[in-house]
Amino acid sequence: MDPVIVVGAGPVGLTLALALARHSVPTVVLDEGPGKDEQRPARTVVLRDDTAGLMERLAGHSFGDQESGARWGGWRSLRRKQLMRELTFSDEVPAPLHVPQHALTGALRAAIAEERLVKVAVESKLDSLEQDPGGLTAHTRGPKDAWWRGSYLVGCDGPRSTVRKLLDVRFPGRTAVERHAVAALRTELPRPGEALLHRMPPWRHGGAEVTGRPLAGGVWRLDWLLPPRGELVTPDALVVRIRETLAGWCGGSTPPYELLDTGVHTVHHRLARRWRVGRAFLAGDAAHLLGALGTQGLDEGLRDADNLAWKLALAWHHGARDALLDSYQTERRAGVAARLRAADQSLPILRGGKGLRSYVPGSARGHDTLLTDGHVGRGPLGAPASYAESPLAPPLSESEVTVGTEPGAPVADVPVTAPDGSFVRLRDRLGIGQLLVVLVAPGTVVWERRHWVTAGVMPRLAAAVTALPHPAELLVAESYPGAPAHSVLLIRPDGHLVTALGGVRPAELYTAAEAALGGAAPKRRTDSAETTEKAENTAAVGRPTTQ
């Protein structure tokens, strides 16, 4: 079968290619550029804990341990001179990951260089696309024009997406919702490692709002919210903002600093009408623009890639199933639309809009809490999407139990015992094409696995897992938030909870797994070694059909 064609070599496209490779699916990445990324210290991304874990699994290292990445120790929200809210991050409240985008992309490119199932074609600009019942044919221009044959194609080619235009998909929304002046600089500030949001700072050129987010190596990204119209940000005006802000945070005197990069970040809110047209899909900025808080738009694009990868892999290995492939648009578009609605409803109030303030209750402290939660990945402005209304949700069952994770939401990253007896994190088992079944069994951690693997409910559960319509891995957890003993959790390959059952219920477990796969069960996969060999043979022919 032909490889999947990924158009665009930004973080979303590279993530999708690596995720598909973990599912033994070959890809061809069409990179319009030369294969290198410009270093822009002021262009950074903030990733929630689960998305950061996805990046670390795919790239093969921890960004928090790298020179460029940083996990914050805390967050403060100030209003004028008053402390409104303070958070300390911990295992219970995981810290976001803040990293320059070029560092993230560079790590993904390095991982792809070692991946045999991914081919990157540089200086290849897509200019035409044709679909037929058996696949797609794409033509690229560059030093050598080429035709490419693929089974599926995903446009990850940014806000001006060529794929979206070739598919004739509308991209409605709002332009220039907000503007931010941005600076990356190296300096020493009080309470290093803690991010802060300062609203209405008490100095002359403070503006309405300034945010300081630490990176590694003493580097900070500072964002100033600009008026909706006018006010060109000249270099001199930006230096004044920098000096006054640093002085305001450091007791009145400006500390030494090294200015590394500057820019103006303009926020647009747009949502593509369709995310799937036949065998072609849209992801990332090609499908949506969301950046009201300055740094988290990429997080949603990476979730697109994680959601789509395992569904494309099932289609590639077992044949297309429209219910499963259609669920990508249903789930992800609804999730992004909810965040866009929350931003459109909340930001006029949070930014001091007079017309809506009288209709919405809440104190200034409540507004700061809502905005802070959005920055740290919680609440209506920041929480990851839940797929509770997904077409892949199983029918209601009397055997369901309530746990700390709602069905459709991302699971908590708890320690689990793997089939070989090793202790790992739950998220480490995601993204390899399998369903996960987790038994919550308090007390097992104090016994060797050989003592309990053949005792109690384990043999019956192991047999039920073996009989599921798709390969699944059985894991055991000492505990899970809110879960009673002997609960059985079924988890999708992208880490979203399908259902939680009270005890071993083979029929209900099978029904839930079948629903999560889009309906009728696919044929069982071939041996993993044979599957990988088939994929590598396909990758070997994943080259232009015509030069």
Side-chain angles (χ1 to χ4, degrees):
M1 191 170 179
D2 295 314
V4 173
I5 299 174
V6 175
V7 183
V12 175
L14 298 176
T15 295
L16 179 60
L18 282 171
L20 286 169
R22 284 178 65 93
H23 293 289
S24 299
V25 175
T27 62
V28 172
V29 179
L30 303 182
D31 185 356
E32 182 178 335
K36 298 179 180 180
D37 300 286
E38 181 184 6
Q39 293 196 8
R40 291 294 309 276
R43 191 178 186 186
T44 66
V45 296
V46 175
L47 304 179
R48 302 180 192 91
D49 184 56
D50 59 332
T51 318
L54 169 67
M55 293 296 93
E56 291 174 345
R57 290 194 302 274
L58 294 177
H61 66 249
S62 173
F63 286 98
D65 295 336
Q66 299 300 304
E67 182 178 333
S68 56
R71 293 184 185 272
W72 303 333
W75 175 279
R76 288 181 295 144
S77 178
L78 307 173
R79 188 178 181 88
R80 297 188 187 277
K81 296 183 179 181
Q82 182 182 3
L83 177 65
M84 303 296 291
R85 193 175 185 201
E86 189 168 12
L87 293 176
T88 299
F89 297 114
S90 62
D91 291 341
E92 291 72 29
V93 185
L97 172 68
H98 189 202
V99 62
Q101 184 166 316
H102 68 261
L104 180 65
T105 307
L108 294 172
R109 286 189 184 276
I112 279 180
E114 303 297 323
E115 177 54 65
R116 292 177 295 174
L117 293 179
V118 181
K119 172 184 175 64
V120 179
V122 300
E123 297 183 334
S124 298
K125 180 176 176 58
L126 180 73
D127 65 359
S128 69
L129 172 63
E130 296 179 0
Q131 298 196 49
D132 57 68
L136 310 96
T137 303
H139 182 264
T140 57
R141 292 185 290 106
K144 293 184 178 180
D145 290 4
W147 291 93
W148 303 85
R149 183 67 180 171
S151 54
Y152 297 94
L153 181 143
V154 186
C156 306
D157 49 342
R160 295 181 175 85
S161 170
T162 299
V163 174
R164 188 182 64 242
K165 294 171 184 176
L166 291 174
L167 297 176
D168 195 25
V169 173
R170 293 183 59 201
F171 198 39
R174 297 197 296 142
T175 300
V177 176
E178 290 185 351
R179 295 189 307 139
H180 297 258
V182 182
L185 51 90
R186 182 176 286 109
T187 189
E188 292 186 11
L189 294 179
R191 306 178 75 165
E194 290 190 2
L196 73 157
L197 167 66
H198 201 156
R199 305 186 72 197
M200 302 178 69
W203 49 83
R204 182 179 177 186
H205 295 95
E209 180 179 304
V210 58
T211 307
R213 302 178 180 92
L215 290 155
V219 177
W220 291 76
R221 169 172 167 164
L222 273 57
D223 291 60
W224 294 267
L225 179 64
L226 299 173
R229 295 177 179 85
E231 189 178 344
L232 295 176
V233 184
T234 65
D236 289 343
L238 183 57
V239 168
V240 170
R241 286 180 179 270
I242 292 171
R243 295 182 63 84
E244 289 192 353
T245 300
L246 297 182
W249 288 344
C250 297
S253 61
T254 304
Y257 68 91
E258 178 188 1
L259 186 58
L260 305 175
D261 191 20
T262 63
V264 174
H265 173 57
T266 303
V267 175
H268 310 289
H269 283 177
R270 294 188 177 276
L271 189 64
R273 292 289 191 193
R274 292 182 293 167
W275 292 25
R276 180 193 179 195
V277 179
R279 290 176 171 266
F281 300 80
L282 299 174
D285 286 351
H288 52 79
L289 293 177
L290 171 66
L293 302 182
T295 57
Q296 293 181 334
L298 178 59
D299 189 276
E300 292 292 353
L302 299 178
R303 291 180 189 277
D304 296 344
D306 197 25
N307 183 287
L308 183 57
W310 70 276
K311 297 172 182 179
L312 280 180
L314 276 174
W316 195 89
H317 287 293
H318 305 296
R321 303 167 68 199
D322 281 340
L324 184 66
L325 295 178
D326 285 344
S327 72
Y328 164 68
Q329 172 176 306
T330 304
E331 292 178 346
R332 291 300 306 143
R333 192 177 188 277
V336 174
R339 285 195 68 189
L340 284 170
R341 283 194 302 272
D344 287 341
Q345 293 168 2
S346 302
L347 288 179
I349 306 161
L350 297 173
R351 303 310 193 200
K354 297 179 181 179
L356 293 175
R357 184 181 293 277
S358 60
Y359 295 99
V360 182
S363 64
R365 186 175 296 275
H367 295 163
D368 282 317
T369 296
L370 179 61
L371 193 55
T372 292
D373 283 348
H375 276 288
V376 301
R378 307 191 309 191
L381 288 177
S386 173
Y387 306 142
E389 303 300 322
S390 168
L392 304 184
L396 292 176
S397 168
E398 294 182 355
S399 302
E400 288 186 39
V401 295
T402 300
V403 300
T405 301
E406 293 290 332
V411 295
D413 188 23
V414 299
V416 294
T417 304
D420 61 2
S422 60
F423 297 100
V424 297
R425 305 295 300 188
L426 177 56
R427 287 182 189 154
D428 290 341
R429 314 306 288 185
L430 299 174
I432 53 176
Q434 299 183 117
L435 297 169
L436 298 182
V437 177
V438 179
L439 171 67
V440 180
T444 51
V445 72
V446 302
W447 299 96
E448 291 186 23
R449 181 177 178 275
R450 60 188 176 89
H451 292 307
W452 50 260
V453 72
T454 58
V457 301
M458 280 296 292
R460 187 163 177 246
L461 180 57
V465 170
T466 302
L468 290 178
H470 186 70
E473 183 176 43
L474 176 56
L475 305 168
V476 178
E478 174 76 8
S479 63
Y480 187 88
H486 303 137
S487 299
V488 176
L489 280 60
L490 179 64
I491 302 168
R492 302 185 343 177
D494 59 354
H496 286 253
L497 180 67
V498 177
T499 189
L501 303 173
V504 180
R505 311 283 182 174
E508 288 91 335
L509 189 64
Y510 187 97
T511 299
E514 193 173 46
L517 300 172
K523 297 179 181 179
R524 297 288 284 188
R525 292 196 302 181
T526 60
D527 176 78
S528 59
E530 295 176 357
T531 301
T532 301
E533 182 180 0
K534 179 182 72 171
E536 290 178 353
N537 289 339
T538 303
V541 298
R543 54 177 61 92
T545 57
T546 305
Q547 293 288 351

PDB file of all heavy atoms in Angstrom, residues 80-97:
ATOM      1  N   ARG A  80      -2.360  45.443  39.135  1.00  0.00           N
ATOM      2  CA  ARG A  80      -1.686  46.628  39.667  1.00  0.00           C
ATOM      3  C   ARG A  80      -0.565  46.161  40.597  1.00  0.00           C
ATOM      4  O   ARG A  80       0.378  45.527  40.155  1.00  0.00           O
ATOM      5  CB  ARG A  80      -2.679  47.558  40.345  1.00  0.00           C
ATOM      6  CG  ARG A  80      -3.751  48.123  39.405  1.00  0.00           C
ATOM      7  CD  ARG A  80      -4.589  49.179  40.077  1.00  0.00           C
ATOM      8  NE  ARG A  80      -5.703  49.593  39.246  1.00  0.00           N
ATOM      9  CZ  ARG A  80      -5.632  50.494  38.279  1.00  0.00           C
ATOM     10  NH1 ARG A  80      -4.473  51.087  38.041  1.00  0.00           N
ATOM     11  NH2 ARG A  80      -6.688  50.803  37.552  1.00  0.00           N
ATOM     12  N   LYS A  81      -0.671  46.436  41.903  1.00  0.00           N
ATOM     13  CA  LYS A  81       0.373  45.995  42.841  1.00  0.00           C
ATOM     14  C   LYS A  81      -0.093  44.834  43.721  1.00  0.00           C
ATOM     15  O   LYS A  81       0.623  44.426  44.644  1.00  0.00           O
ATOM     16  CB  LYS A  81       0.779  47.162  43.735  1.00  0.00           C
ATOM     17  CG  LYS A  81       1.426  48.316  42.988  1.00  0.00           C
ATOM     18  CD  LYS A  81       1.857  49.410  43.956  1.00  0.00           C
ATOM     19  CE  LYS A  81       2.521  50.560  43.207  1.00  0.00           C
ATOM     20  NZ  LYS A  81       2.966  51.626  44.144  1.00  0.00           N
ATOM     21  N   GLN A  82      -1.270  44.289  43.412  1.00  0.00           N
ATOM     22  CA  GLN A  82      -1.868  43.272  44.277  1.00  0.00           C
ATOM     23  C   GLN A  82      -1.674  41.874  43.698  1.00  0.00           C
ATOM     24  O   GLN A  82      -1.893  41.643  42.503  1.00  0.00           O
ATOM     25  CB  GLN A  82      -3.358  43.546  44.459  1.00  0.00           C
ATOM     26  CG  GLN A  82      -4.064  42.566  45.386  1.00  0.00           C
ATOM     27  CD  GLN A  82      -5.546  42.852  45.502  1.00  0.00           C
ATOM     28  OE1 GLN A  82      -6.061  43.750  44.837  1.00  0.00           O
ATOM     29  NE2 GLN A  82      -6.240  42.106  46.344  1.00  0.00           N
ATOM     30  N   LEU A  83      -1.286  40.922  44.546  1.00  0.00           N
ATOM     31  CA  LEU A  83      -1.201  39.523  44.146  1.00  0.00           C
ATOM     32  C   LEU A  83      -2.605  38.929  44.147  1.00  0.00           C
ATOM     33  O   LEU A  83      -3.279  38.878  45.184  1.00  0.00           O
ATOM     34  CB  LEU A  83      -0.303  38.746  45.116  1.00  0.00           C
ATOM     35  CG  LEU A  83      -0.170  37.238  44.851  1.00  0.00           C
ATOM     36  CD1 LEU A  83       0.527  36.985  43.521  1.00  0.00           C
ATOM     37  CD2 LEU A  83       0.589  36.555  45.989  1.00  0.00           C
ATOM     38  N   MET A  84      -3.060  38.483  42.969  1.00  0.00           N
ATOM     39  CA  MET A  84      -4.419  37.962  42.840  1.00  0.00           C
ATOM     40  C   MET A  84      -4.478  36.453  43.003  1.00  0.00           C
ATOM     41  O   MET A  84      -5.423  35.914  43.570  1.00  0.00           O
ATOM     42  CB  MET A  84      -4.987  38.346  41.473  1.00  0.00           C
ATOM     43  CG  MET A  84      -4.986  39.846  41.193  1.00  0.00           C
ATOM     44  SD  MET A  84      -6.056  40.765  42.304  1.00  0.00           S
ATOM     45  CE  MET A  84      -7.669  40.227  41.761  1.00  0.00           C
ATOM     46  N   ARG A  85      -3.446  35.767  42.491  1.00  0.00           N
ATOM     47  CA  ARG A  85      -3.469  34.307  42.555  1.00  0.00           C
ATOM     48  C   ARG A  85      -2.052  33.784  42.423  1.00  0.00           C
ATOM     49  O   ARG A  85      -1.227  34.365  41.718  1.00  0.00           O
ATOM     50  CB  ARG A  85      -4.346  33.728  41.434  1.00  0.00           C
ATOM     51  CG  ARG A  85      -4.666  32.242  41.649  1.00  0.00           C
ATOM     52  CD  ARG A  85      -5.629  31.735  40.615  1.00  0.00           C
ATOM     53  NE  ARG A  85      -6.021  30.367  40.901  1.00  0.00           N
ATOM     54  CZ  ARG A  85      -6.517  29.525  40.009  1.00  0.00           C
ATOM     55  NH1 ARG A  85      -6.686  29.924  38.766  1.00  0.00           N
ATOM     56  NH2 ARG A  85      -6.857  28.310  40.333  1.00  0.00           N
ATOM     57  N   GLU A  86      -1.794  32.674  43.087  1.00  0.00           N
ATOM     58  CA  GLU A  86      -0.473  32.059  43.032  1.00  0.00           C
ATOM     59  C   GLU A  86      -0.635  30.554  42.961  1.00  0.00           C
ATOM     60  O   GLU A  86      -1.402  29.957  43.721  1.00  0.00           O
ATOM     61  CB  GLU A  86       0.349  32.458  44.256  1.00  0.00           C
ATOM     62  CG  GLU A  86       1.805  32.056  44.179  1.00  0.00           C
ATOM     63  CD  GLU A  86       2.635  32.709  45.258  1.00  0.00           C
ATOM     64  OE1 GLU A  86       2.043  33.298  46.198  1.00  0.00           O
ATOM     65  OE2 GLU A  86       3.879  32.646  45.175  1.00  0.00           O
ATOM     66  N   LEU A  87       0.079  29.922  42.027  1.00  0.00           N
ATOM     67  CA  LEU A  87       0.052  28.469  41.856  1.00  0.00           C
ATOM     68  C   LEU A  87       1.453  27.910  41.999  1.00  0.00           C
ATOM     69  O   LEU A  87       2.421  28.515  41.527  1.00  0.00           O
ATOM     70  CB  LEU A  87      -0.480  28.093  40.469  1.00  0.00           C
ATOM     71  CG  LEU A  87      -1.946  28.389  40.133  1.00  0.00           C
ATOM     72  CD1 LEU A  87      -2.211  28.013  38.679  1.00  0.00           C
ATOM     73  CD2 LEU A  87      -2.874  27.611  41.044  1.00  0.00           C
ATOM     74  N   THR A  88       1.555  26.761  42.640  1.00  0.00           N
ATOM     75  CA  THR A  88       2.807  26.013  42.681  1.00  0.00           C
ATOM     76  C   THR A  88       2.566  24.688  41.976  1.00  0.00           C
ATOM     77  O   THR A  88       1.648  23.943  42.336  1.00  0.00           O
ATOM     78  CB  THR A  88       3.261  25.758  44.128  1.00  0.00           C
ATOM     79  OG1 THR A  88       3.471  27.014  44.775  1.00  0.00           O
ATOM     80  CG2 THR A  88       4.556  24.953  44.139  1.00  0.00           C
ATOM     81  N   PHE A  89       3.361  24.396  40.956  1.00  0.00           N
ATOM     82  CA  PHE A  89       3.155  23.173  40.190  1.00  0.00           C
ATOM     83  C   PHE A  89       3.748  21.975  40.933  1.00  0.00           C
ATOM     84  O   PHE A  89       4.752  22.080  41.638  1.00  0.00           O
ATOM     85  CB  PHE A  89       3.767  23.304  38.804  1.00  0.00           C
ATOM     86  CG  PHE A  89       3.120  24.385  37.982  1.00  0.00           C
ATOM     87  CD1 PHE A  89       3.811  25.528  37.603  1.00  0.00           C
ATOM     88  CD2 PHE A  89       1.787  24.265  37.585  1.00  0.00           C
ATOM     89  CE1 PHE A  89       3.210  26.514  36.851  1.00  0.00           C
ATOM     90  CE2 PHE A  89       1.178  25.253  36.832  1.00  0.00           C
ATOM     91  CZ  PHE A  89       1.882  26.382  36.464  1.00  0.00           C
ATOM     92  N   SER A  90       3.105  20.824  40.751  1.00  0.00           N
ATOM     93  CA  SER A  90       3.506  19.594  41.449  1.00  0.00           C
ATOM     94  C   SER A  90       3.004  18.409  40.631  1.00  0.00           C
ATOM     95  O   SER A  90       2.472  18.577  39.525  1.00  0.00           O
ATOM     96  CB  SER A  90       2.893  19.574  42.857  1.00  0.00           C
ATOM     97  OG  SER A  90       1.474  19.575  42.772  1.00  0.00           O
ATOM     98  N   ASP A  91       3.118  17.200  41.178  1.00  0.00           N
ATOM     99  CA  ASP A  91       2.593  16.023  40.495  1.00  0.00           C
ATOM    100  C   ASP A  91       1.079  16.124  40.330  1.00  0.00           C
ATOM    101  O   ASP A  91       0.518  15.646  39.335  1.00  0.00           O
ATOM    102  CB  ASP A  91       2.944  14.750  41.273  1.00  0.00           C
ATOM    103  CG  ASP A  91       4.431  14.444  41.221  1.00  0.00           C
ATOM    104  OD1 ASP A  91       5.111  14.974  40.325  1.00  0.00           O
ATOM    105  OD2 ASP A  91       4.914  13.684  42.090  1.00  0.00           O
ATOM    106  N   GLU A  92       0.414  16.741  41.313  1.00  0.00           N
ATOM    107  CA  GLU A  92      -1.036  16.892  41.238  1.00  0.00           C
ATOM    108  C   GLU A  92      -1.432  18.023  40.289  1.00  0.00           C
ATOM    109  O   GLU A  92      -2.499  17.977  39.680  1.00  0.00           O
ATOM    110  CB  GLU A  92      -1.621  17.169  42.634  1.00  0.00           C
ATOM    111  CG  GLU A  92      -1.555  15.989  43.593  1.00  0.00           C
ATOM    112  CD  GLU A  92      -0.134  15.708  44.079  1.00  0.00           C
ATOM    113  OE1 GLU A  92       0.665  16.680  44.145  1.00  0.00           O
ATOM    114  OE2 GLU A  92       0.171  14.534  44.374  1.00  0.00           O
ATOM    115  N   VAL A  93      -0.595  19.043  40.191  1.00  0.00           N
ATOM    116  CA  VAL A  93      -0.833  20.169  39.268  1.00  0.00           C
ATOM    117  C   VAL A  93       0.386  20.251  38.348  1.00  0.00           C
ATOM    118  O   VAL A  93       1.328  20.997  38.606  1.00  0.00           O
ATOM    119  CB  VAL A  93      -1.036  21.491  40.024  1.00  0.00           C
ATOM    120  CG1 VAL A  93      -1.402  22.608  39.056  1.00  0.00           C
ATOM    121  CG2 VAL A  93      -2.110  21.347  41.096  1.00  0.00           C
ATOM    122  N   PRO A  94       0.418  19.457  37.261  1.00  0.00           N
ATOM    123  CA  PRO A  94       1.632  19.380  36.426  1.00  0.00           C
ATOM    124  C   PRO A  94       1.973  20.711  35.776  1.00  0.00           C
ATOM    125  O   PRO A  94       1.092  21.477  35.371  1.00  0.00           O
ATOM    126  CB  PRO A  94       1.266  18.325  35.372  1.00  0.00           C
ATOM    127  CG  PRO A  94       0.100  17.582  35.933  1.00  0.00           C
ATOM    128  CD  PRO A  94      -0.641  18.559  36.779  1.00  0.00           C
ATOM    129  N   ALA A  95       3.264  20.984  35.687  1.00  0.00           N
ATOM    130  CA  ALA A  95       3.739  22.222  35.073  1.00  0.00           C
ATOM    131  C   ALA A  95       3.677  22.131  33.558  1.00  0.00           C
ATOM    132  O   ALA A  95       3.993  21.088  32.979  1.00  0.00           O
ATOM    133  CB  ALA A  95       5.167  22.509  35.513  1.00  0.00           C
ATOM    134  N   PRO A  96       3.293  23.210  32.877  1.00  0.00           N
ATOM    135  CA  PRO A  96       3.408  23.245  31.416  1.00  0.00           C
ATOM    136  C   PRO A  96       4.880  23.216  31.003  1.00  0.00           C
ATOM    137  O   PRO A  96       5.771  23.535  31.785  1.00  0.00           O
ATOM    138  CB  PRO A  96       2.750  24.574  31.033  1.00  0.00           C
ATOM    139  CG  PRO A  96       2.000  25.027  32.246  1.00  0.00           C
ATOM    140  CD  PRO A  96       2.725  24.454  33.417  1.00  0.00           C
ATOM    141  N   LEU A  97       5.099  22.837  29.757  1.00  0.00           N
ATOM    142  CA  LEU A  97       6.438  22.877  29.164  1.00  0.00           C
ATOM    143  C   LEU A  97       6.520  24.088  28.246  1.00  0.00           C
ATOM    144  O   LEU A  97       5.669  24.277  27.378  1.00  0.00           O
ATOM    145  CB  LEU A  97       6.716  21.599  28.369  1.00  0.00           C
ATOM    146  CG  LEU A  97       8.003  21.584  27.545  1.00  0.00           C
ATOM    147  CD1 LEU A  97       9.222  21.576  28.457  1.00  0.00           C
ATOM    148  CD2 LEU A  97       8.033  20.391  26.596  1.00  0.00           C
TER     149      LEU A  97
END
